[in-house]
Amino acid sequence: MSYNIAVDGPAGAGKSTIARAVAKELNIIYVDTGAMYRGMGLYMLRLGIDPEDEQAVIAHCDEADITLRYEDGVQVVCLNGENVNAYIRTEEVGAVTSRISVLPPVRKRITALQHELAASADCIMDGRDIGTCVLPHADVKIYLTASSEVRAKRRYDELTAKGQDCDLAQIQADMEERDYRDMHREVSPLRQAQDAVLVDTSDMTPEQVIERILELCEKKG
Ligand code: DC
């Protein structure tokens, strides 16, 4: 049986930074499920499909073959064989992805791949529904969060460091809208699993969060 850690939480809580570091520390793989959904979002965006047009999204979702591979421990998302890591991190792809990921056929397709990965390797998987739906029997479950002000500021700092022009208030408003959609959708909404440990990172450094998660893994490992 493989060892699985589930990490869920809203956008900007620090899930990917933390999960990547914990994976390295424990020498297990990191599965970024948001990136898989983003691969599907990018596919719809490239086709020019309106993300609100459910029938069109459903009709085309089976054409997108999303796979993961690892290069020097770094996850690479492939969309129909093309490495799309460089294109999936934009706010535009994030907004489309949040809309199409409410649809059951999209989730079914991507969840199947997540099950395969978790069964075949020890991993830390992050997303919105990992502890509640994808890996309900995960060895360790964490719900990572932070205030929306802190999360927006982190995203703002990330984007400005890359030289992108952006507006803090707008980022916070977009993030709150996306969280609302992720938490209130009918299928697999974002919520804390009953047996997940809540870690509020608002006043913690990344090192402190990593330390806390490693402690939790030791206790349950
Ligand atoms: O974590 P992220 O920002 O890369 O995720 C992008 C979107 O994908 C997010 O708004 C909701 C969706 N998502 C999801 O529905 N389920 C997951 N397990 C991961 C992401």
Side-chain angles (χ1 to χ4, degrees), residues 11-197:
K15 297 186 300 293
S16 57
T17 309
I18 301 302
R20 191 174 292 116
V22 170
K24 204 167 174 195
E25 196 66 38
L26 298 178
N27 199 22
I28 59 180
I29 63 165
Y30 164 47
V31 182
D32 174 356
T33 66
M36 298 160 88
Y37 283 98
R38 282 170 182 268
M40 183 66 88
L42 178 68
Y43 183 70
M44 298 301 162
L45 196 64
R46 282 179 171 177
L47 285 184
I49 288 174
D50 174 359
E52 300 293 345
D53 184 348
E54 295 190 3
Q55 291 318 314
V57 174
I58 292 169
H60 289 276
C61 81
D62 281 347
E63 301 160 4
D65 184 32
I66 312 284
T67 51
L68 294 187
R69 52 168 212 265
Y70 289 85
E71 288 176 6
D72 297 327
V74 176
Q75 174 185 286
V76 174
V77 181
C78 294
L79 168 61
N80 295 331
E82 175 195 353
N83 173 350
V84 291
N85 271 18
Y87 312 112
I88 57 175
R89 296 282 159 214
T90 64
E91 294 298 305
E92 190 185 20
V93 171
V96 168
T97 305
S98 171
R99 289 183 165 82
I100 63 154
S101 59
V102 305
L103 301 172
V106 169
R107 302 203 72 78
K108 196 171 160 213
R109 197 165 161 76
I110 294 183
T111 303
L113 178 58
Q114 291 163 2
H115 282 151
E116 264 174 48
L117 283 163
S120 66
D122 293 345
C123 70
I124 179 163
M125 187 178 281
D126 80 359
R128 302 292 188 287
D129 60 338
I130 310 306
T132 49
C133 302
V134 180
L135 303 176
H137 304 298
D139 299 271
V140 178
K141 292 185 189 178
I142 290 140
Y143 189 83
L144 209 62
T145 190
S147 68
S148 64
E149 288 82 7
V150 169
R151 292 186 290 113
K153 179 70 171 55
R154 286 179 187 158
R155 185 57 51 87
Y156 173 85
D157 290 344
E158 235 173 70
L159 294 172
T160 46
K162 284 187 202 157
Q164 289 183 33
D165 205 14
C166 53
D167 177 61
L168 181 58
Q170 188 61 49
I171 291 179
Q172 187 173 338
D174 290 348
M175 223 171 215
E176 285 171 358
E177 189 194 327
R178 184 138 79 89
D179 291 345
Y180 185 87
R181 204 165 32 235
D182 294 345
M183 289 173 178
H184 292 86
R185 65 186 178 211
E186 252 171 63
V187 186
S188 306
L190 166 64
R191 60 183 172 77
Q192 183 180 345
Q194 263 183 351
D195 50 352
V197 177

